[in-house]
Amino acid sequence: MNRQAKDRGAHNDRIARVLAHAVDSAGRSRADLAAEAGMHRETLTRLIRGERPIKLEDAARILSVCGVPVRSTLILALSGEDERACQWMRHDVGAFLEEFLVTLPGALETTLGERCDELRPRWAKGTSQLVARMLANHIDDFAARDVTAQLAR
């Protein structure tokens, strides 16, 4: 088996695990979810078992009818973070990541303009750590304001 086929198989397995988690935690029957996604229940079952290749369109429809953030969940799954995708899909952090991924390209273009061409892939890890630290500080600032407001009452 060549490397591309192995990669496809690994991606399919990760997405199947994430879809199974989304379906199991949706609180609805598989028949209802399948019907809303426009597929037969048996097709849904085979997809979440990883018994057939999963098209991104099918995965997106299934995640959508399960009520989870589609883009962030798929990106996490495809990048080998399927466990994190399952943990975050029903939490605010998943919704945050969804909005962040959708708005980041426009924010980069607006802020950097032509300087986007100067970005280097090797900066991504450090930048993500910087953004996480900035978010932690932001959360701490909000918490401090809440405590101050409560003490003032």
Side-chain angles (χ1 to χ4, degrees):
M1 180 181 284
N2 67 26
R3 182 171 161 78
Q4 282 185 326
K6 285 182 186 178
D7 287 348
R8 273 193 305 273
H11 290 315
N12 201 76
D13 292 346
R14 286 186 200 112
I15 294 172
R17 279 193 294 275
V18 168
L19 292 177
H21 182 79
V23 166
D24 291 344
S25 66
R28 296 173 54 198
S29 73
R30 288 185 181 178
D32 287 346
L33 293 170
E36 192 173 335
M39 62 183 63
H40 190 274
R41 186 187 58 80
E42 185 58 32
T43 301
L44 175 66
T45 299
R46 291 182 66 212
L47 288 171
I48 66 175
R49 286 183 183 161
E51 295 173 354
R52 64 185 289 179
I54 303 169
K55 296 177 187 173
L56 286 179
E57 302 83 36
D58 291 337
R61 280 198 327 271
I62 293 166
L63 292 171
S64 180
V65 301
C66 289
V68 300
V70 174
R71 293 173 198 88
S72 60
T73 302
L74 283 174
I75 288 170
L76 287 169
L78 290 170
S79 62
E81 296 280 351
D82 43 305
E83 286 185 36
R84 189 163 289 144
C86 291
Q87 292 170 352
W88 288 2
M89 70 173 54
R90 298 217 180 266
H91 295 282
D92 283 346
V93 68
F96 168 85
L97 184 57
E98 181 85 1
E99 185 68 20
F100 184 79
L101 293 170
V102 169
T103 59
L104 181 61
L108 287 172
E109 193 169 87
T110 299
T111 304
L112 297 176
E114 291 183 18
R115 294 181 61 202
C116 282
D117 293 340
E118 298 173 24
L119 290 175
R120 301 293 175 257
R122 67 179 183 271
W123 300 344
K125 185 175 181 181
T127 303
S128 66
Q129 292 168 346
L130 176 63
V131 168
R133 283 193 302 273
M134 289 173 58
L135 284 169
N137 290 337
H138 190 63
I139 291 168
D140 291 344
D141 288 345
F142 273 117
R145 286 184 207 155
D146 286 346
V147 168
T148 303
Q150 288 176 359
L151 290 175
R153 288 182 193 168

